[in-house]
Amino acid sequence: MQRKSSRVVVLVLTGHALAAAWTWRDIRQQPAQQVRGSKTFWRISSAVNTLGSVGYWLIGRRYGKSQPQ
């Protein structure tokens, strides 16, 4: 049973690392106007918890073309 638990932990940690890397890459490529809030906040949030990455994609990232103000 311990072997199965270890596999689950490895899968979860791998998923978190991939989600964070994908999020960080997008944050780096987006201009500040395309991100709601600070980029630093979203980087920390996504590094600490997988829900931080989900939050960035649902709330923190602006989609579509932004108009300069």
Side-chain angles (χ1 to χ4, degrees), residues 13-69:
L13 290 176
T14 301
H16 171 71
L18 289 172
W22 185 31
T23 300
W24 282 38
R25 180 177 181 259
D26 189 75
I27 290 170
R28 182 180 63 242
Q29 292 177 342
Q30 295 300 321
Q33 299 84 5
Q34 289 295 104
V35 178
R36 290 183 178 99
S38 85
K39 289 184 172 190
T40 302
F41 168 79
W42 289 112
R43 283 186 187 108
I44 292 169
S45 177
S46 66
V48 170
N49 192 324
T50 306
L51 290 176
S53 292
V54 173
Y56 168 75
W57 291 101
L58 295 176
I59 299 167
R61 188 176 193 277
R62 295 178 195 262
Y63 293 92
K65 296 185 182 197
S66 66
Q67 299 296 325
Q69 295 179 356

